[in-house]
């Protein structure tokens, strides 16, 4: 049976004290460079893995990044969340294999900040990735006050004070709406998130600019996150005398709800009613026409998020912004 690789084993094999080996692995300068290099080389050769509990006691760090999911903004059934989490986990593994992504959910009727406090007070994580940001975001206020490192997926009203990674949503929705106008659509409904989300304002900014350029009357509806809410709104407006001929949707989840309502109304998505979504999420039902959408690489965004959350920040907050790609498919044929 192979020996258990512990600090005591290393010390015995190297002819050093346990204290010397521990301090050598910790990089303490009271141990000579030669000894530190010798201990580290031997530890690598025998596959020594430091005890994480002991490491935390010594360094105050956990090698963990936290992600707290608010039920009001979707859960694990939400394809946006699952794609982002998979990409974040892969990016973290690639950048720092010794780190873990710690994920939890908070029911929408609970105080999300209590979970942040519990994670911090219990020393569960070293830093956070914060998603689906609001203009006035209490999570960002709390984390800035606490001094805990974090990066947001999306901007906030305090974006000049913290690290963030975002998508140029205003430009993306400007181009999507322009495309529908160029196809001859004049009655275009924008189905958006609630306006407390920063990205909702950005998305509507792009839509409104395109409509103004064409001297067209804008029409926007805000609805709760989810397929069902978009389906209900689409059913309502499609039954009206002035039904839209095209929909621009803040997310593919909304767009799939619209597609169902369009089909139920006896119209064909793409042929009778044009639809554009966002985020290039997989179809909910495979018999559906392929959805035109604004595409973004979750992998590229996640790599940027992990890069910022792991790297120490010195002074000025760091920002990354990526562009959407407009993918034209069956629903704008």
């Amino acid at each position: 049976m192979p020996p258990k690789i512990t600090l005591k084993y290393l010390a015995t094999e190297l002819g050093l004290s346990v204290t010397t080996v521990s301090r050598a692995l910790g990089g303490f300068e009271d141990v000579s460079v030669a000894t530190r290099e010798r201990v580290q080389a031997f530890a690598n050769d025998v596959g020594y893995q430091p005890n994480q509990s002991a490491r935390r006691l010594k360094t105050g760090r956990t090698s963990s990044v936290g992600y707290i999911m608010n039920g009001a903004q979707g859960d694990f059934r939400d394809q946006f969340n699952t794609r982002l989490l998979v990409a974040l986990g892969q990016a973290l593994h690639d950048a720092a294999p010794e780190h873990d992504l710690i994920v939890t959910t908070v029911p929408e009727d609970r105080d999300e900040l209590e979970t942040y406090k519990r994670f911090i007070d219990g020393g569960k994580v070293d830093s956070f990735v914060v998603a689906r940001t609001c203009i006035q975001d209490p999570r960002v206020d709390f984390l800035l006050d606490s001094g805990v490192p974090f990066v947001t997926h999306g901007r906030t009203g305090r974006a000049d004070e913290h690290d963030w990674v975002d998508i140029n949503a205003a430009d993306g929705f400007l181009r999507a709406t322009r495309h529908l106008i160029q196809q001859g659509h004049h009655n275009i409904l924008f189905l958006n998130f609630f306006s407390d989300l920063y990205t909702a304002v950005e998305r509507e900014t792009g839509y409104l600019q395109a409509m103004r350029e064409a001297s067209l009357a804008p029409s926007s509806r805000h609805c709760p996150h989810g397929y069902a809410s978009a389906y209900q709104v689409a059913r309502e407006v499609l039954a009206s005398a002035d039904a839209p001929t095209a929909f621009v949707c803040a997310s593919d989840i909304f767009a799939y709800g619209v597609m169902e309502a369009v089909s139920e109304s006896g119209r064909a998505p793409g042929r009778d009613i044009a639809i554009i979504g966002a985020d290039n999420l997989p179809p909910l039902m495979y018999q559906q026409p392929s959805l035109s959408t604004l595409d973004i690489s979750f992998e590229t965004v996640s790599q940027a998020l992990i890069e910022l959350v792991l790297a120490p920040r010195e002074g000025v907050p760091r920002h990354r912004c990526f562009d959407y790609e407009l993918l034209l498919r069956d629903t704008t044929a």
Side-chain angles (χ1 to χ4, degrees):
M1 183 176 178
K4 186 176 181 180
I5 310 301
T6 63
L7 280 176
K8 185 176 181 180
Y9 172 82
L10 298 181
T12 301
E13 294 297 309
L14 291 166
L16 299 170
S17 70
V18 171
T19 300
T20 298
V21 171
S22 176
R23 295 184 71 77
L25 291 173
F28 287 91
E29 295 184 357
D30 58 351
V31 180
S32 70
V33 173
T35 299
R36 275 185 272 156
E37 291 177 348
R38 176 176 164 235
V39 171
Q40 189 63 64
F42 183 71
N44 292 341
D45 288 343
V46 299
Y48 170 71
Q49 295 293 327
N51 181 287
Q52 291 303 312
S53 296
R55 179 183 181 275
R56 180 179 148 200
L57 287 172
K58 183 181 74 175
T59 65
R61 296 184 63 79
T62 66
S63 296
S64 297
V65 177
Y67 184 97
I68 298 173
M69 193 184 307
N70 189 326
Q73 298 295 341
D75 54 24
F76 289 107
R77 293 166 294 185
D78 184 321
Q79 295 179 80
F80 178 91
N81 282 333
T82 53
R83 285 199 66 190
L84 180 61
L85 286 172
V86 168
L88 280 173
Q90 185 63 56
L92 184 59
H93 176 78
D94 292 343
E98 72 281 4
H99 280 62
D100 294 310
L101 182 66
I102 307 298
V103 181
T104 193
T105 59
V106 180
E108 57 182 301
D109 61 345
R110 301 289 180 87
D111 184 359
E112 188 178 1
L113 287 185
E114 286 301 319
T115 304
Y116 277 91
K117 292 174 185 175
R118 189 172 70 253
F119 267 45
I120 294 170
D121 293 344
K124 296 179 185 296
V125 301
D126 299 322
S127 55
F128 291 93
V129 173
V130 180
R132 286 180 164 156
T133 49
C134 296
I135 299 170
Q136 302 298 325
D137 201 308
R139 300 168 299 175
V140 168
D141 296 338
F142 173 72
L143 291 171
L144 283 172
D145 289 343
S146 70
V148 174
F150 71 98
V151 59
T152 61
H153 182 206
R155 279 164 280 182
T156 72
R158 301 181 69 177
D160 59 344
E161 300 178 58
H162 62 82
D163 295 345
W164 54 260
V165 176
D166 204 358
I167 317 301
N168 189 349
D171 175 73
F173 281 79
L174 170 66
R175 288 185 285 115
T177 309
R178 278 177 177 167
H179 177 77
L180 293 173
I181 294 169
Q182 289 164 3
Q183 284 192 312
H185 294 282
H186 295 164
N187 188 350
I188 303 170
L189 178 67
F190 180 45
L191 203 55
N192 200 5
F193 304 123
F194 286 134
S195 56
D196 59 335
L197 290 178
Y198 193 99
T199 191
V201 176
E202 289 289 297
R203 288 161 199 251
E204 191 155 16
T205 295
Y207 163 78
L208 291 174
Q209 180 179 340
M211 297 296 280
R212 281 196 304 269
E213 289 175 352
S215 300
L216 296 175
S219 178
S220 300
R221 292 287 294 269
H222 298 269
C223 58
H225 187 79
Y227 176 95
S229 58
Y231 166 75
Q232 291 295 340
V233 170
R235 278 193 64 185
E236 175 190 327
V237 299
L238 288 168
S240 67
D242 188 28
T245 63
F247 289 79
V248 177
C249 301
S251 79
D252 285 349
I253 300 299
F254 284 175
Y256 288 127
V258 171
M259 286 174 68
E260 181 178 354
V262 168
S263 297
E264 285 186 1
S265 74
R267 302 172 176 95
R271 186 189 68 200
D272 301 317
I273 304 287
I275 307 166
I276 298 179
D279 295 328
N280 197 18
L281 301 177
L284 301 182
M285 294 178 288
Y286 289 100
Q287 69 269 27
Q288 289 175 305
S290 59
L291 176 64
S292 295
T293 189
L294 289 164
D295 183 34
I296 190 64
S297 168
F298 280 77
E299 292 72 25
T300 299
V301 169
S302 294
Q303 288 168 7
L305 287 164
I306 294 301
E307 176 187 330
L308 293 188
V309 82
L310 291 182
R313 179 160 69 85
E314 298 178 0
V316 180
R318 299 157 302 180
H319 307 145
R320 304 275 194 281
C321 195
F322 299 97
D323 290 328
Y324 272 124
E325 177 186 359
L326 179 59
L327 301 182
L328 300 175
R329 296 175 175 147
D330 292 344
T331 58
T332 51

